[in-house]
Amino acid sequence: MASVGHCLPTFLNGLLICVTLLSGLSVTAKPNRKPNIVLILTDDLDIAIGGLTPLAKTKKLIGDAGISFTNAFVASPLCCPSRASILTGKYPHNHHVINNTLEGNCSSTAWQKSQEPDTFPALLHNLGGYQTFFAGKYLNQYGDAKAGGLGHVPLGWTQWFGLERNSKYYNYTLSVNGKPEVHGAEYSKDYLTDVLANVSLDFLRYKSKYQPFFMMVSTPAPHSPWTPAPQYQDTYKDTKAPRDPNFNVHGKDKHWLIRQAKTPMSNASIQFLDNAFRSRWRTLLSVDDLVERLVLALEASKELDNTYVFFTSDNGYHTGQFSLPLDKRQLYEFDIRVPLMVRGPNIKPNQTSKLLVANVDLGPTMLDIAGYDVNKTQMDGMSFLPVLVSRYVLVEYEGEGHNVSDPSCPLLGPGVSECFPDCVCEDAFNNTYACVRSVAPSTNLQYCEFDDNEVFVEVYNVTADPFQLANIAKTIDQEVLEKMNHRLMMLQSCSGPSCRLIKNGIAMKIIRM
């Protein structure tokens, strides 16, 4: 396709800084050059229901060339709180982004003043000597006139191509270093995934050769409206959402919001979610092309051997699990577990790790790569360059609902949202919960408490019950229940170093990747 043709300036007076990785990894880099870092962030990409299937080139070029983490979790299963956790390395109770609205602190002026100066890209740029590049979706309310509009460029970015508000594929506006750039609906010039690939390649072509770089490319796919590129619109014609054991079954022992889902789902709901599932996969084929173009460009410029490439998502997704048609926001594996693949210097190929990592750990890991001491920050996460055993992560979500009854579900009364015509609602005010997720050699456990009148508890042995069909809160050993409750309370009140101590547990083992 035709190039978008952005010409990026050459950056002069680069800093030459020797590299020392705190993890003990020796990096076979060029003298006086820190490793480069690339983060490719997808939008709503699951791992539990086959989300990686369309990404064959991505798995080959990143996963097979490095390490894949099978227990990677998000701090919150919703776009803006999760992205805020990635950028800050903090849990939602510390960065205070609670939902996708401006009132929920999503890209608000308060966020800009209190959190943006200390994001890991800002630290890489201001203290680490990195040139930094961003392209794609930032936070859902970015560009709102009440928060500086498109003229606001977050601190710490050398080059900025920020999408106004939420994911789109056509008919959108980018902030190009603070100036609006309007795009229409012509594929060769406007398809957003390809535009992000083109401006990223331009950055690699014109950046300074004397500074390390950090790139964050944040694709719209596979978020709705699920618009595929023309060449992919007829693929996966016979594909349906997976009919796993938790598909279209009643969550009888779960929180009330799950119990209200109608089972079996209507034929219309099933057809709708199958169509969405196919469309999501189709949009991912363009992401696969983007990854290939970036990796090949790094290889052609002889920079790939000194570059860490991360691939992940802001949250997972569901299509029919427990008879919920489609969305995220829930505490189950399909919404909170995400893909995470990393390749880079001294990471051996074809590795799979079952160890527990969280998206609050991404920023600390990248700071560690740059040789920056994470202990100097207030981040809750920790570097996973030295991979830790017997860990715990926190998942938090604050439900959203309307003050009036939803026309699709008047019988449920006020307080619900994201409702479907079959009177199935994906969210509510009291869909507010916190979970602690543990991974151990013998048993993987998830313990969740709801902030509602029931103080409802859900507990799952994910080793024995990977589809989370049976809530064992009433049958699990009381001592285990009390320990998980105590761990959750500690994590919910932690901040910075105390979060890292709690997450470590007691046992710690350094493993060279």
Side-chain angles (χ1 to χ4, degrees), residues 64-303:
D64 293 350
I67 185 169
S68 298
F69 291 89
T70 58
N71 285 308
F73 291 88
V74 297
S76 184
L78 188 64
C79 297
C80 203
S82 180
R83 289 166 180 263
S85 287
I86 291 172
L87 290 164
T88 63
K90 295 179 181 179
Y91 288 119
H93 70 264
N94 286 327
H95 62 58
H96 307 298
V97 178
I98 61 173
N99 57 43
N100 289 342
T101 67
L102 204 63
E103 295 74 20
N105 203 29
C106 181
S107 205
S108 66
T109 54
W111 155 268
Q112 294 169 12
K113 293 177 181 178
S114 66
Q115 303 298 327
E116 280 186 347
D118 297 317
T119 62
F120 80 86
L123 296 176
L124 286 174
H125 178 266
N126 297 331
L127 301 176
Y130 276 70
Q131 52 192 319
T132 52
F133 169 87
F134 180 87
K137 176 180 173 179
Y138 178 58
L139 301 176
N140 296 57
Q141 297 302 323
Y142 173 73
D144 190 291
K146 296 178 183 178
L150 294 175
H152 171 71
V153 176
L155 293 173
W157 297 101
T158 312
Q159 291 291 322
W160 176 260
F161 293 82
L163 175 68
E164 183 181 27
R165 299 183 185 272
N166 208 355
S167 281
K168 291 184 177 181
Y169 299 82
Y170 294 112
N171 299 310
Y172 56 86
T173 301
L174 292 176
S175 168
V176 180
N177 298 318
K179 297 182 179 180
E181 179 180 276
V182 180
H183 285 259
E186 186 177 342
Y187 170 69
S188 64
K189 296 190 299 183
D190 301 312
Y191 190 69
L192 182 56
T193 306
D194 291 350
V195 169
L196 300 182
N198 290 338
V199 297
S200 299
L201 293 174
D202 282 347
F203 171 77
L204 291 176
R205 188 175 300 119
Y206 296 111
K207 65 177 172 54
S208 168
K209 297 181 180 179
Y210 303 103
Q211 287 177 270
F213 64 83
F214 168 71
M215 295 179 65
M216 184 171 177
V217 185
S218 183
T219 73
H223 195 285
S224 62
W226 314 305
T227 309
Q231 67 270 30
Y232 297 132
Q233 62 186 5
D234 294 324
T235 57
Y236 303 120
K237 285 186 176 181
D238 298 323
T239 298
K240 295 181 178 180
R243 269 51 172 175
D244 289 330
N246 55 7
F247 180 84
N248 200 14
V249 300
H250 192 255
K252 58 182 181 299
D253 58 0
K254 297 177 175 20
H255 184 236
W256 80 269
L257 189 65
I258 308 302
R259 298 197 303 266
Q260 59 88 31
K262 302 299 187 295
T263 305
M265 291 182 288
S266 68
N267 290 337
S269 288
I270 292 176
Q271 183 178 5
F272 177 72
L273 69 86
D274 279 337
N275 286 335
F277 190 88
R278 285 188 286 271
S279 297
R280 283 164 50 81
W281 274 21
R282 290 164 181 159
T283 65
L284 286 169
L285 294 172
S286 294
V287 175
D288 212 29
D289 293 338
L290 177 152
V291 170
E292 180 183 46
R293 294 176 69 189
L294 288 182
V295 172
L296 291 179
L298 289 167
E299 187 175 37
S301 63
K302 302 187 185 307
E303 294 177 297

Side-chain angles (χ1 to χ4, degrees), residues 101 113 131 209 232 235 268 311 342 382 408-409 417 446 482:
T101 67
K113 293 177 181 178
Q131 52 192 319
K209 297 181 180 179
Y232 297 132
T235 57
F311 181 92
V342 189
M382 64 185 71
S408 300
C409 285
S417 65
Q446 182 180 12
E482 291 174 357

Side-chain angles (χ1 to χ4, degrees), residues 18-27 34-37 120-121 123-124 128 130 214 308 310 345 360-377 379 381-388 500 510-513:
C18 295
V19 58
T20 302
L21 288 185
L22 300 181
S23 64
L25 292 175
S26 60
V27 178
K34 293 182 178 181
N36 308 307
I37 308 168
F120 80 86
L123 296 176
L124 286 174
Y130 276 70
F214 168 71
Y308 288 87
F310 292 73
V360 295
D361 300 326
L362 290 171
T365 300
M366 295 179 199
L367 292 175
D368 195 357
I369 288 170
Y372 187 83
D373 187 355
V374 179
N375 291 320
K376 294 180 179 180
T377 74
M379 293 183 174
M382 64 185 71
S383 172
F384 54 81
L385 277 179
V387 182
L388 303 172
R500 297 194 287 274
I510 301 297
I511 298 176
R512 298 287 175 87
M513 288 199 294

Side-chain angles (χ1 to χ4, degrees), residues 349 390 428:
S390 187

